[in-house]
Amino acid sequence: GAVVSQHPSWVICKSGTSVKIECRSLDFQATTMFWYRQFPKQSLMLMATSNEGSKATYEQGVEKDKFLINHASLTLSTLTVTSAHPEDSSFYICSARPDREVYGYTFGSGTRLTVV
Amino acid sequence: AQKVTQAQTEISVVEKEDVTLDCVYETRDTTYYLFWYKQPPSGELVFLIRRNSFDEQNEISGRYSWNFQKSTSSFNFTITASQVVDSAVYFCALRANQAGTALIFGKGTTLSVSS
């Protein structure tokens, strides 16, 4: 149980275009989901916390207009990288907290974004 | 503020050696949760263990063991008789007790096990 599906696994896009990444909780409802970014050989940095039905809370230094997060249902959160540039190339991972789980978190398999 | 420090950036061992990965954390919370994750080259995060701050018992799971020392704010991870398949990046993470808070990760330790 507690599976999170993240799609796509990898994507290549041209500079200036937008890319949407989906994070779905398959067998549980997730009021809260988290988006992380990981550069090569570096740690996971929290980008934002998304709560179902409300605006996401972004970490300091993360451009909310560039990284649009939508958490419209209890099983789906999306991250849209708008007007992507090569410096946005990174590994993006989502995480969800099952509502019935006090402290367990489940991670998606990640999306490798390459902007050319 | 919460912080997780993994001072060892890279560790290389030969198969069958024991290896300990260090994790030191900082938090002002009295209740908190600690985690270890494994990240193989494929990128997905594999959950290994979670421990709450009130449970200082050490834990053993097969070749893996964890030593939680609240007095030194450390949560170290030992792999006994390491294997090549253990090669990965290992992350230690901390979470506050407050509902809806994210995991804060250390910088990770890259473990390379050679045959």
Side-chain angles (χ1 to χ4, degrees):
Chain A
V3 176
V4 170
S5 173
Q6 187 172 340
H7 179 81
S9 299
W10 59 270
V11 57
I12 300 174
C13 71
K14 292 184 177 180
S15 285
T17 62
S18 295
V19 174
K20 180 184 285 188
I21 302 170
E22 292 188 349
C23 181
R24 291 181 184 273
S25 56
L26 298 185
D27 49 3
F28 67 97
Q29 294 185 330
T31 303
T32 306
M33 291 188 176
F34 307 95
W35 288 95
Y36 291 84
R37 181 176 184 176
Q38 185 180 30
F39 290 108
K41 298 187 183 298
Q42 293 191 26
S43 186
L44 286 83
M45 300 303 297
L46 179 67
M47 297 175 66
T49 301
S50 75
N51 294 297
E52 186 266 337
S54 63
K55 290 184 179 180
T57 303
Y58 290 82
E59 295 299 299
Q60 193 172 8
V62 177
E63 299 176 60
K64 58 183 66 176
D65 293 332
K66 180 167 193 58
F67 298 100
L68 300 180
I69 292 173
N70 184 283
H71 193 157
S73 77
L74 285 171
T75 59
L76 175 64
S77 177
T78 60
L79 167 66
T80 300
V81 183
T82 63
S83 186
H85 291 284
E87 57 265 31
D88 298 325
S89 298
S90 187
F91 191 59
Y92 294 87
I93 307 176
C94 68
S95 172
R97 181 184 73 86
D99 285 342
R100 286 177 291 176
E101 186 80 14
V102 175
Y103 47 80
Y105 288 69
T106 302
F107 285 82
S109 55
T111 297
R112 195 165 301 280
L113 170 64
T114 302
V115 184
V116 298
Chain B
Q2 300 190 321
K3 185 179 178 181
V4 176
T5 301
Q6 294 179 256
Q8 305 150 307
T9 305
E10 296 184 12
I11 300 176
S12 295
V13 299
V14 178
E15 253 189 331
K16 299 184 182 178
E17 283 186 30
D18 298 347
V19 58
T20 295
L21 309 182
D22 297 334
C23 173
V24 174
Y25 62 92
E26 295 176 30
T27 180
R28 293 180 182 175
D29 295 337
T30 54
T31 301
Y32 50 89
Y33 301 91
L34 296 163
F35 301 78
W36 274 96
Y37 285 87
K38 174 182 180 180
Q39 187 178 42
S42 56
E44 83 272 20
L45 284 171
V46 179
F47 167 77
L48 296 178
I49 189 172
R50 62 176 172 248
R51 176 55 52 88
N52 73 53
S53 53
F54 293 109
D55 183 3
E56 288 194 68
Q57 275 195 330
N58 292 330
E59 183 157 338
I60 298 175
S61 176
R63 296 184 296 108
Y64 296 168
S65 62
W66 291 268
N67 182 281
F68 179 27
Q69 296 278 353
K70 215 168 176 179
S71 59
T72 56
S73 297
S74 64
F75 187 43
N76 296 337
F77 172 34
T78 298
I79 301 175
T80 304
S82 59
Q83 300 176 0
V84 173
V85 293
D86 295 328
S87 298
V89 181
Y90 291 86
F91 290 100
C92 180
L94 169 69
R95 187 182 83 76
N97 185 41
Q98 184 180 358
T101 55
L103 298 185
I104 303 301
F105 287 85
K107 292 187 175 182
T109 297
T110 300
L111 174 64
S112 298
V113 182
S114 58
S115 58

